[in-house]
Amino acid sequence: MSDFFKDIPKIKFEGPDSDSDFAFRHYNPDEMVMGKSLRDHLCFAAAYWHSFAWPGGDPFGGQTFERPWFGDTMALARLKADVAFEMFQILDVPYYCFHDADVRPEGADFAENTRNLREIVDYFEEKQAATGVKLLWGTANLFSNRRFMSGAATNPDPDVFAFSAATVKTCMDATKQLGGANYVLWGGREGYETLLNTDLAKERAHAGRFLHMVVEYKHKIGFDGPILIEPKPQEPMKHQYDYDVATVYGFLKEFGLENEVKMNVEQGHAILAGHSFEHELALARSLGIFGSIDMNRNDYQSGWDTDQFPNNVPEMTLAYYEVLRAGGFTTGGTNFDAKLRRQSLDPEDLVLAHVGGMDACAAGLKAAAAMLADGKLESARDARYAGWDTPEAKAMLDSDLDSIAARVESEGINPQPKSGRQERLENLVNRYL
Ligand code: XLS
Ligand code: NI
Ligand code: NI
């Protein structure tokens, strides 16, 4: 045991009337909702990078956090793992997620990176066995090191493509070894700063080929979880190729990968793309490519990826409503891709941020489940489209402009506008909160 979290107790469900800060009010992991426990509905995961690797910097200042595991040795990487798994147990989160660079010191070259990663993955394997915590997904950090400044798979330098492909291979091996449920690719620096020096067609073609290789390798090693792409419109690059769910779907279609790859949808990235979280989730669901979520909260004024812990229950209700309509998570889960504010220095801040996030998610999911079970919202939606259930309406979709025009004339079709009843539906939603 490290002494980082010292006197912080294991967080238990105490119900809405508890006056302890260190308790869940809404997240009772064993509570059954629609035939499934909240633990299995929400599949919470903690993100290694924000909680254990991020030093608290911003564009105007560097490190604010002082953590005993900061540094570049394997011994410190093990200490970091000890503390991370302690937090997973304090919170009783069933899963975690990591990038290679979060968990191992940076080596002098690819071979040393790989050795360091393997050593820590063996250590994770022991820790997973001892605690029962599982890996939701693994991924490669192809954006922090300066070699990736012009992209990874889309880099103009083929050596960077090679280094990136080799690194992804090692991260997929690590994810497989740890029994990870998914493998994630977030675009990192796949995008551009200026079109003046960018061959957009070549870069996209290379990204498509890279993704094919990832899918081929997944089948070769028998990794059975899905490959997930995480869309984001900008940041770090001015323009990111994986802009949003719709853009990524077009990309997958272009390269024939729409049946191989699913989406990891992040709240903050949806907002940056000018969408709501529920829009991105609904689209992924309707395209059959919904996979997992990165849960956080973006500041609505700043225009940056602020990665705050979520606390807005009405928003989460609408998001989990889409998750439930998609049938819930299969391999996916709720990963807290969220970080503390840089003034939140104390170990308890890290724990309480997750406690609040988990509680807000649970409250949102329960409201969403009640809304779905009640069926009022869905029957209102169905009623709005009921005209399409008639045989004439269905037949029209198989006819042509000529015959439709003839029918409109002969039957004297003259549409009468009907209310969309938005406020009534908004009032209805608020009744479940
Ligand atoms: C960054 C992304 C990143 C991915 C994993 O904006 O959210 O954290 O989730 O590479
Ligand atoms: Ni993310
Ligand atoms: Ni993000």
Side-chain angles (χ1 to χ4, degrees), residues 49-50 186 230-232 235 266 268-269 272 294 296 298 305-307 337:
W49 51 103
H50 286 314
W186 165 58
E230 184 179 321
K232 185 173 184 180
E235 209 193 326
E266 178 165 324
H269 299 183
L272 286 178
D294 267 8
N296 53 27
N298 236 23
D305 188 13
T306 56
D307 285 338
D337 193 351

PDB file of all heavy atoms in Angstrom, residues 49-50 186 230-232 235 266 268-269 272 294 296 298 305-307 337, ligand 3:
ATOM      1  N   TRP A  49      -4.393   8.656 -17.795  1.00  0.00           N
ATOM      2  CA  TRP A  49      -3.630   9.845 -18.213  1.00  0.00           C
ATOM      3  C   TRP A  49      -3.984  11.078 -17.400  1.00  0.00           C
ATOM      4  O   TRP A  49      -3.080  11.755 -16.882  1.00  0.00           O
ATOM      5  CB  TRP A  49      -3.747  10.110 -19.715  1.00  0.00           C
ATOM      6  CG  TRP A  49      -5.128  10.152 -20.307  1.00  0.00           C
ATOM      7  CD1 TRP A  49      -5.826  11.253 -20.669  1.00  0.00           C
ATOM      8  CD2 TRP A  49      -5.960   9.021 -20.645  1.00  0.00           C
ATOM      9  NE1 TRP A  49      -7.045  10.887 -21.196  1.00  0.00           N
ATOM     10  CE2 TRP A  49      -7.154   9.534 -21.200  1.00  0.00           C
ATOM     11  CE3 TRP A  49      -5.821   7.640 -20.527  1.00  0.00           C
ATOM     12  CZ2 TRP A  49      -8.195   8.701 -21.633  1.00  0.00           C
ATOM     13  CZ3 TRP A  49      -6.853   6.820 -20.950  1.00  0.00           C
ATOM     14  CH2 TRP A  49      -8.013   7.357 -21.498  1.00  0.00           C
ATOM     15  N   HIS A  50      -5.284  11.360 -17.266  1.00  0.00           N
ATOM     16  CA  HIS A  50      -5.657  12.588 -16.564  1.00  0.00           C
ATOM     17  C   HIS A  50      -5.372  12.493 -15.071  1.00  0.00           C
ATOM     18  O   HIS A  50      -4.946  13.460 -14.449  1.00  0.00           O
ATOM     19  CB  HIS A  50      -7.149  12.877 -16.747  1.00  0.00           C
ATOM     20  CG  HIS A  50      -7.501  13.377 -18.106  1.00  0.00           C
ATOM     21  ND1 HIS A  50      -6.781  14.366 -18.735  1.00  0.00           N
ATOM     22  CD2 HIS A  50      -8.495  13.041 -18.954  1.00  0.00           C
ATOM     23  CE1 HIS A  50      -7.335  14.615 -19.906  1.00  0.00           C
ATOM     24  NE2 HIS A  50      -8.368  13.820 -20.077  1.00  0.00           N
ATOM     25  N   TRP A 186      -7.703   7.344 -31.046  1.00  0.00           N
ATOM     26  CA  TRP A 186      -8.126   8.743 -31.157  1.00  0.00           C
ATOM     27  C   TRP A 186      -7.127   9.410 -32.098  1.00  0.00           C
ATOM     28  O   TRP A 186      -5.925   9.139 -32.043  1.00  0.00           O
ATOM     29  CB  TRP A 186      -8.122   9.429 -29.782  1.00  0.00           C
ATOM     30  CG  TRP A 186      -8.184  10.917 -29.924  1.00  0.00           C
ATOM     31  CD1 TRP A 186      -9.153  11.649 -30.551  1.00  0.00           C
ATOM     32  CD2 TRP A 186      -7.204  11.857 -29.490  1.00  0.00           C
ATOM     33  NE1 TRP A 186      -8.834  12.981 -30.522  1.00  0.00           N
ATOM     34  CE2 TRP A 186      -7.646  13.133 -29.875  1.00  0.00           C
ATOM     35  CE3 TRP A 186      -5.980  11.747 -28.808  1.00  0.00           C
ATOM     36  CZ2 TRP A 186      -6.922  14.300 -29.611  1.00  0.00           C
ATOM     37  CZ3 TRP A 186      -5.261  12.898 -28.538  1.00  0.00           C
ATOM     38  CH2 TRP A 186      -5.732  14.158 -28.926  1.00  0.00           C
ATOM     39  N   GLU A 230     -12.257   7.490 -31.955  1.00  0.00           N
ATOM     40  CA  GLU A 230     -12.821   8.570 -31.128  1.00  0.00           C
ATOM     41  C   GLU A 230     -12.762   9.873 -31.913  1.00  0.00           C
ATOM     42  O   GLU A 230     -11.690  10.436 -32.102  1.00  0.00           O
ATOM     43  CB  GLU A 230     -12.011   8.668 -29.834  1.00  0.00           C
ATOM     44  CG  GLU A 230     -12.550   9.685 -28.871  1.00  0.00           C
ATOM     45  CD  GLU A 230     -11.734   9.731 -27.574  1.00  0.00           C
ATOM     46  OE1 GLU A 230     -11.321   8.662 -27.083  1.00  0.00           O
ATOM     47  OE2 GLU A 230     -11.510  10.839 -27.082  1.00  0.00           O
ATOM     48  N   PRO A 231     -13.900  10.369 -32.388  1.00  0.00           N
ATOM     49  CA  PRO A 231     -13.878  11.585 -33.204  1.00  0.00           C
ATOM     50  C   PRO A 231     -13.604  12.838 -32.374  1.00  0.00           C
ATOM     51  O   PRO A 231     -13.908  12.885 -31.181  1.00  0.00           O
ATOM     52  CB  PRO A 231     -15.300  11.668 -33.784  1.00  0.00           C
ATOM     53  CG  PRO A 231     -15.985  10.408 -33.423  1.00  0.00           C
ATOM     54  CD  PRO A 231     -15.266   9.819 -32.257  1.00  0.00           C
ATOM     55  N   LYS A 232     -13.028  13.828 -33.033  1.00  0.00           N
ATOM     56  CA  LYS A 232     -12.790  15.144 -32.409  1.00  0.00           C
ATOM     57  C   LYS A 232     -12.541  16.134 -33.546  1.00  0.00           C
ATOM     58  O   LYS A 232     -11.796  15.821 -34.461  1.00  0.00           O
ATOM     59  CB  LYS A 232     -11.570  15.062 -31.485  1.00  0.00           C
ATOM     60  CG  LYS A 232     -11.312  16.342 -30.691  1.00  0.00           C
ATOM     61  CD  LYS A 232     -10.191  16.136 -29.672  1.00  0.00           C
ATOM     62  CE  LYS A 232     -10.002  17.376 -28.829  1.00  0.00           C
ATOM     63  NZ  LYS A 232      -8.920  17.223 -27.826  1.00  0.00           N
ATOM     64  N   GLU A 235      -8.105  20.545 -32.121  1.00  0.00           N
ATOM     65  CA  GLU A 235      -7.327  20.437 -30.896  1.00  0.00           C
ATOM     66  C   GLU A 235      -6.810  19.023 -30.712  1.00  0.00           C
ATOM     67  O   GLU A 235      -7.603  18.140 -30.430  1.00  0.00           O
ATOM     68  CB  GLU A 235      -8.155  20.874 -29.667  1.00  0.00           C
ATOM     69  CG  GLU A 235      -7.297  21.441 -28.560  1.00  0.00           C
ATOM     70  CD  GLU A 235      -8.044  21.584 -27.248  1.00  0.00           C
ATOM     71  OE1 GLU A 235      -9.244  21.866 -27.238  1.00  0.00           O
ATOM     72  OE2 GLU A 235      -7.382  21.409 -26.224  1.00  0.00           O
ATOM     73  N   GLU A 266     -17.112  11.070 -27.242  1.00  0.00           N
ATOM     74  CA  GLU A 266     -16.782  11.865 -26.048  1.00  0.00           C
ATOM     75  C   GLU A 266     -17.651  13.113 -25.966  1.00  0.00           C
ATOM     76  O   GLU A 266     -17.804  13.845 -26.950  1.00  0.00           O
ATOM     77  CB  GLU A 266     -15.298  12.245 -26.088  1.00  0.00           C
ATOM     78  CG  GLU A 266     -14.887  13.120 -24.907  1.00  0.00           C
ATOM     79  CD  GLU A 266     -13.385  13.209 -24.720  1.00  0.00           C
ATOM     80  OE1 GLU A 266     -12.683  12.198 -24.948  1.00  0.00           O
ATOM     81  OE2 GLU A 266     -12.902  14.292 -24.358  1.00  0.00           O
ATOM     82  N   GLY A 268     -17.166  16.105 -24.588  1.00  0.00           N
ATOM     83  CA  GLY A 268     -16.503  17.371 -24.906  1.00  0.00           C
ATOM     84  C   GLY A 268     -16.214  17.522 -26.396  1.00  0.00           C
ATOM     85  O   GLY A 268     -16.257  18.627 -26.948  1.00  0.00           O
ATOM     86  N   HIS A 269     -15.908  16.409 -27.053  1.00  0.00           N
ATOM     87  CA  HIS A 269     -15.607  16.474 -28.484  1.00  0.00           C
ATOM     88  C   HIS A 269     -16.880  16.768 -29.281  1.00  0.00           C
ATOM     89  O   HIS A 269     -16.838  17.479 -30.287  1.00  0.00           O
ATOM     90  CB  HIS A 269     -14.990  15.160 -28.958  1.00  0.00           C
ATOM     91  CG  HIS A 269     -13.690  14.831 -28.269  1.00  0.00           C
ATOM     92  ND1 HIS A 269     -12.940  13.725 -28.595  1.00  0.00           N
ATOM     93  CD2 HIS A 269     -13.016  15.454 -27.281  1.00  0.00           C
ATOM     94  CE1 HIS A 269     -11.859  13.679 -27.826  1.00  0.00           C
ATOM     95  NE2 HIS A 269     -11.894  14.723 -27.016  1.00  0.00           N
ATOM     96  N   LEU A 272     -17.383  20.460 -29.034  1.00  0.00           N
ATOM     97  CA  LEU A 272     -16.441  21.189 -29.897  1.00  0.00           C
ATOM     98  C   LEU A 272     -16.872  21.126 -31.363  1.00  0.00           C
ATOM     99  O   LEU A 272     -16.607  22.041 -32.134  1.00  0.00           O
ATOM    100  CB  LEU A 272     -15.027  20.601 -29.780  1.00  0.00           C
ATOM    101  CG  LEU A 272     -14.246  20.894 -28.497  1.00  0.00           C
ATOM    102  CD1 LEU A 272     -12.890  20.187 -28.553  1.00  0.00           C
ATOM    103  CD2 LEU A 272     -14.047  22.387 -28.307  1.00  0.00           C
ATOM    104  N   ASP A 294     -16.575   8.346 -23.792  1.00  0.00           N
ATOM    105  CA  ASP A 294     -15.660   9.081 -22.928  1.00  0.00           C
ATOM    106  C   ASP A 294     -16.505  10.149 -22.266  1.00  0.00           C
ATOM    107  O   ASP A 294     -17.005  11.075 -22.921  1.00  0.00           O
ATOM    108  CB  ASP A 294     -14.517   9.717 -23.735  1.00  0.00           C
ATOM    109  CG  ASP A 294     -13.306   8.807 -23.800  1.00  0.00           C
ATOM    110  OD1 ASP A 294     -13.410   7.647 -23.367  1.00  0.00           O
ATOM    111  OD2 ASP A 294     -12.244   9.257 -24.279  1.00  0.00           O
ATOM    112  N   ASN A 296     -17.226  13.243 -19.954  1.00  0.00           N
ATOM    113  CA  ASN A 296     -16.660  14.422 -19.310  1.00  0.00           C
ATOM    114  C   ASN A 296     -17.627  15.577 -19.536  1.00  0.00           C
ATOM    115  O   ASN A 296     -18.803  15.373 -19.847  1.00  0.00           O
ATOM    116  CB  ASN A 296     -15.241  14.732 -19.812  1.00  0.00           C
ATOM    117  CG  ASN A 296     -15.135  14.845 -21.317  1.00  0.00           C
ATOM    118  OD1 ASN A 296     -16.088  15.187 -22.006  1.00  0.00           O
ATOM    119  ND2 ASN A 296     -13.957  14.548 -21.842  1.00  0.00           N
ATOM    120  N   ASN A 298     -17.632  19.667 -21.201  1.00  0.00           N
ATOM    121  CA  ASN A 298     -16.889  20.790 -21.760  1.00  0.00           C
ATOM    122  C   ASN A 298     -17.482  22.096 -21.272  1.00  0.00           C
ATOM    123  O   ASN A 298     -18.700  22.225 -21.166  1.00  0.00           O
ATOM    124  CB  ASN A 298     -16.942  20.752 -23.286  1.00  0.00           C
ATOM    125  CG  ASN A 298     -15.563  20.730 -23.878  1.00  0.00           C
ATOM    126  OD1 ASN A 298     -14.615  20.325 -23.204  1.00  0.00           O
ATOM    127  ND2 ASN A 298     -15.430  21.156 -25.108  1.00  0.00           N
ATOM    128  N   ASP A 305     -11.089  21.930 -25.273  1.00  0.00           N
ATOM    129  CA  ASP A 305     -11.439  20.625 -24.729  1.00  0.00           C
ATOM    130  C   ASP A 305     -11.094  20.667 -23.239  1.00  0.00           C
ATOM    131  O   ASP A 305      -9.977  20.352 -22.850  1.00  0.00           O
ATOM    132  CB  ASP A 305     -10.601  19.573 -25.465  1.00  0.00           C
ATOM    133  CG  ASP A 305     -11.025  18.163 -25.121  1.00  0.00           C
ATOM    134  OD1 ASP A 305     -12.089  17.991 -24.521  1.00  0.00           O
ATOM    135  OD2 ASP A 305     -10.271  17.241 -25.471  1.00  0.00           O
ATOM    136  N   THR A 306     -12.035  21.108 -22.409  1.00  0.00           N
ATOM    137  CA  THR A 306     -11.692  21.336 -20.994  1.00  0.00           C
ATOM    138  C   THR A 306     -11.720  20.066 -20.146  1.00  0.00           C
ATOM    139  O   THR A 306     -11.224  20.072 -19.028  1.00  0.00           O
ATOM    140  CB  THR A 306     -12.600  22.403 -20.340  1.00  0.00           C
ATOM    141  OG1 THR A 306     -13.969  22.003 -20.500  1.00  0.00           O
ATOM    142  CG2 THR A 306     -12.404  23.755 -20.992  1.00  0.00           C
ATOM    143  N   ASP A 307     -12.307  18.975 -20.659  1.00  0.00           N
ATOM    144  CA  ASP A 307     -12.236  17.680 -19.969  1.00  0.00           C
ATOM    145  C   ASP A 307     -12.556  17.766 -18.483  1.00  0.00           C
ATOM    146  O   ASP A 307     -11.837  17.226 -17.647  1.00  0.00           O
ATOM    147  CB  ASP A 307     -10.833  17.058 -20.134  1.00  0.00           C
ATOM    148  CG  ASP A 307     -10.617  16.476 -21.523  1.00  0.00           C
ATOM    149  OD1 ASP A 307     -11.598  16.161 -22.211  1.00  0.00           O
ATOM    150  OD2 ASP A 307      -9.442  16.320 -21.919  1.00  0.00           O
ATOM    151  N   ASP A 337     -12.928  10.402 -19.068  1.00  0.00           N
ATOM    152  CA  ASP A 337     -11.817  11.105 -19.710  1.00  0.00           C
ATOM    153  C   ASP A 337     -11.874  12.547 -19.197  1.00  0.00           C
ATOM    154  O   ASP A 337     -12.233  13.475 -19.918  1.00  0.00           O
ATOM    155  CB  ASP A 337     -11.961  11.034 -21.237  1.00  0.00           C
ATOM    156  CG  ASP A 337     -10.683  11.464 -21.937  1.00  0.00           C
ATOM    157  OD1 ASP A 337      -9.786  11.963 -21.248  1.00  0.00           O
ATOM    158  OD2 ASP A 337     -10.595  11.296 -23.167  1.00  0.00           O
TER     159      ASP A 337
HETATM  160 NI    NI B   3     -10.835  14.663 -25.136  1.00  0.00          NI
END
